[in-house]
Amino acid sequence: MTRSRRMASAVSALAVVAGGLVSAAVIGVGPARADHCDPAQASQEQQQGQRNRNNNQNQNQDQQQDQDQQGQDQNQQDQNQNQDQNGQNQGQNNNQNQQDQNNNQQNGQQQDQNGDQQQNADQQGQGGGRAVLDPAQNPDAQDPDAQNPDPEQTAETFGRRNRPTRNPGQGNNGNNGNNGNNGNNGNGSASPSPSPTASEEHNENECADLGPFVEDFVDIRQVAPRQLDARIGRGGSRGTFVSACGTNRNGHNNPDNFIVAPGVSNGAHHLHDYVGNLSTDGFSTDESLAAAGTTCRLGDKSTYFWPVLRDRKVDANTQDPDGNVGQVLRARSVTLQFRGNASSQVVAMPRFLRLITGDAKAATNGAGNARAAWSCTGFQNRISPDKYPLCPRGSQVVRILDFPSCWDGQNTDSANHRTHVVFPGQGGACPQGTKAVPALRMTLTYTVPQGPSFAVDAFPEQKHNPITDHADFANVMPDRLMQFVVSCINRGRRC
């Protein structure tokens, strides 16, 4: 009775699981991609998926144990039947032998009587006699069962558990013994738990390859404090100038980059936020930028852009071919500050100078050109170069993007977009043969969902790694405005 209940419960459980899978396949219900792409949720779902697989394995093990127990019971029953049959045969043989012995004894007695009579007759008639046949040497008196022995139970006839074996290749359901490559060589054993189908693996791991991952986040309070800026020396320039350009309220976004991929639509494969110049896209030129309007004050037509940050908890942009899923988060504040040099005065940037900072492919290229700096408001002495910050409640995520500021004095761009303007050395001084220009620092702040549930847009293979944060700038300030910026910085003013 216990085995029957266990078998019934196992079959019921398998039926429920199978029914659920069929229903999901028919209805087409699946998790919302963006919710499933939430790093925290994805981690929980992967753990739940592992627990489900373990439960299925346990159910299959219970079913296998039930089947093994049933097989053992059947073997025991077969053995008992064989023993009963052998006992009956043995009893019949004993009865037959006893009957034969009685018959032989009666025959012997009769023969003795006949012999005595014959002997008396012979003695009377001939005076001689003859030998009597020994029943033990009579071929007709052999064990009748010896003439019809039981068939031998050979290995070819019965398996290890006294079950009839199949010929090789006669697996379950006529599958030529393959049994789904489950390693049982088609012996009819119970199949192991079915492997997830391609669609199930896709649903479960749909965003596992997109990133970011839980390990890409860190509590900002666990980041060691460090000094971001070099100490300004006696000959340094201490002033600053801020270009106020807004936070992209007009929704100027596109996945282009006219500096590194000119003339290409979707050249960045991730969405950019733009402030400043209103015309910037993949086909921008010096002339088109100079002719356009701007969101900046004082007529600054420069273009400032960076990859957007997304809330991964929101089901938005799910059809993006590059995997940039989630709701775009508009920066709460954007500060575009031009700063001085730690050891020298600065000179004016040439108009249409193009700059990039960071490496959008640092996750695969390495950290050589990476310049990401993540922090939280109230903790800006704690800066993480390669992890998203988990900020305390009430604190905002901060992105700090510093641009190179040591110009070669001649070129507004270079083949790799880096060698014409480089970063100062460790002490803040520019390398020999270069001149210090105003150093641009972008500081962006965001209100993000609690937990590891946000990510920066990135190239697909970069998996939204925080080390890939980057930004771009092209100087389209009028010459008079640039001279004003230089004056503010060199005189130590805050403009």
Side-chain angles (χ1 to χ4, degrees):
M1 183 64 71
T2 301
R3 290 190 300 273
S4 298
R5 285 197 297 266
R6 292 177 62 188
M7 284 294 294
S9 64
V11 171
S12 298
L14 290 175
V16 170
V17 173
L21 291 176
V22 170
S23 299
V26 172
I27 300 173
V29 176
R33 189 178 185 193
D35 291 341
H36 202 51
C37 291
D38 174 10
Q41 183 69 19
S43 176
Q44 294 175 1
E45 289 178 355
Q46 289 175 356
Q47 294 174 3
Q48 182 63 37
Q50 184 61 41
R51 285 194 293 268
N52 291 339
R53 287 191 289 272
N54 292 338
N55 290 336
N56 290 337
Q57 291 176 356
N58 292 335
Q59 290 178 357
N60 290 325
Q61 289 175 358
D62 291 340
Q63 182 181 7
Q64 180 66 35
Q65 291 174 357
D66 291 338
Q67 291 178 351
D68 292 343
Q69 183 64 37
Q70 184 180 8
Q72 293 175 0
D73 293 342
Q74 183 65 35
N75 293 338
Q76 184 65 35
Q77 183 178 0
D78 293 342
Q79 292 176 358
N80 292 337
Q81 290 177 354
N82 291 335
Q83 291 176 358
D84 293 341
Q85 184 65 34
N86 292 335
Q88 292 176 1
N89 292 337
Q90 185 174 1
Q92 292 176 358
N93 292 338
N94 292 337
N95 293 336
Q96 184 66 35
N97 292 336
Q98 183 66 34
Q99 183 177 359
D100 292 342
Q101 291 176 0
N102 293 335
N103 291 337
N104 292 336
Q105 185 174 3
Q106 293 176 0
N107 293 335
Q109 292 176 356
Q110 183 67 32
Q111 289 174 358
D112 290 343
Q113 293 177 359
N114 294 336
D116 291 344
Q117 293 176 359
Q118 184 65 33
Q119 183 177 6
N120 292 334
D122 292 341
Q123 289 176 353
Q124 293 175 358
Q126 297 180 357
R130 62 185 180 89
V132 179
L133 183 63
D134 185 0
Q137 297 179 356
N138 186 356
D140 296 334
Q142 293 179 357
D143 185 0
D145 291 334
Q147 298 178 4
N148 298 302
D150 292 334
E152 183 179 1
Q153 297 180 358
T154 63
E156 290 78 8
T157 307
F158 286 85
R160 294 175 57 187
R161 295 177 177 174
N162 291 329
R163 298 177 183 173
T165 60
R166 294 181 172 87
N167 292 331
Q170 292 180 346
N172 289 339
N173 301 324
N175 62 359
N176 297 325
N178 292 332
N179 267 343
N181 297 324
N182 60 9
N184 61 14
N185 295 325
N187 289 333
S189 301
S191 300
S193 59
S195 300
T197 64
S199 60
E200 289 170 351
E201 287 182 349
H202 177 70
N203 286 336
E204 181 176 333
N205 300 319
E206 184 175 31
C207 297
D209 292 335
L210 290 182
F213 308 100
V214 173
E215 56 268 24
D216 291 327
F217 294 80
V218 64
D219 188 329
I220 193 62
R221 290 165 291 194
Q222 296 178 358
V223 176
R226 69 183 178 94
Q227 185 174 346
L228 184 62
D229 301 316
R231 188 178 301 276
I232 299 177
R234 179 176 299 178
S237 42
R238 300 174 179 271
T240 60
F241 171 86
V242 173
S243 187
C245 301
T247 58
N248 193 23
R249 288 181 180 273
N250 57 326
H252 184 182
N253 301 99
N254 62 54
D256 303 345
N257 191 321
F258 76 95
I259 296 177
V260 299
V264 179
S265 294
N266 194 35
H269 293 274
H270 52 262
L271 197 65
H272 285 130
D273 261 331
Y274 291 87
V275 296
N277 198 287
L278 293 173
S279 69
T280 315
D281 61 18
F283 302 90
S284 293
T285 63
D286 294 348
E287 292 74 19
S288 68
L289 293 172
T294 182
T295 65
C296 301
R297 69 184 180 100
L298 303 180
D300 180 9
K301 294 187 177 184
S302 300
T303 179
Y304 307 81
F305 57 103
W306 55 85
V308 300
L309 203 65
R310 291 184 188 268
D311 178 354
R312 298 296 287 274
K313 286 181 173 291
V314 179
D315 189 13
N317 206 44
T318 56
Q319 303 303 317
D320 183 65
D322 298 309
N324 292 300
V325 177
Q327 180 65 50
V328 171
L329 294 168
R330 185 160 53 85
R332 297 296 299 272
S333 68
V334 174
T335 303
L336 307 173
Q337 185 183 59
F338 292 87
R339 303 155 61 86
N341 182 270
S343 63
S344 71
Q345 300 283 290
V346 298
V347 300
M349 287 182 179
R351 201 168 193 223
F352 305 117
L353 178 71
R354 301 179 181 188
L355 303 178
I356 63 174
T357 185
D359 184 358
K361 298 183 178 181
T364 54
N365 288 345
N369 290 316
R371 288 282 170 172
W374 296 89
S375 187
C376 300
T377 55
F379 298 86
Q380 283 164 270
N381 63 331
R382 300 173 184 265
I383 297 171
S384 173
D386 56 3
K387 292 186 185 298
Y388 294 114
L390 296 176
C391 304
R393 190 175 298 276
S395 175
Q396 294 180 336
V397 166
V398 178
R399 297 166 71 181
I400 303 173
L401 296 157
D402 280 327
F403 282 76
S405 58
C406 299
W407 175 47
D408 67 4
Q410 297 180 357
N411 301 295
T412 58
D413 201 358
S414 54
N416 63 0
H417 315 293
R418 298 183 187 275
T419 54
H420 65 297
V421 182
V422 299
F423 283 91
Q426 189 70 29
C430 281
Q432 184 94 22
T434 63
K435 302 176 180 181
V437 295
L440 172 60
R441 170 176 289 176
M442 296 182 180
T443 304
L444 318 174
T445 65
Y446 297 84
T447 298
V448 302
Q450 285 296 113
S453 300
F454 61 94
V456 67
D457 266 21
F459 287 95
E461 72 278 5
Q462 303 305 307
K463 302 185 185 300
H464 302 278
N465 194 313
I467 200 174
T468 64
D469 202 10
H470 62 280
D472 301 76
F473 165 75
N475 172 40
V476 198
M477 288 186 184
D479 290 340
R480 288 185 60 185
L481 179 59
M482 177 55 66
Q483 290 296 333
F484 177 74
V485 171
V486 169
S487 175
C488 286
I489 292 173
N490 288 337
R491 295 183 179 184
R493 298 171 57 192
R494 294 174 181 258
C495 303

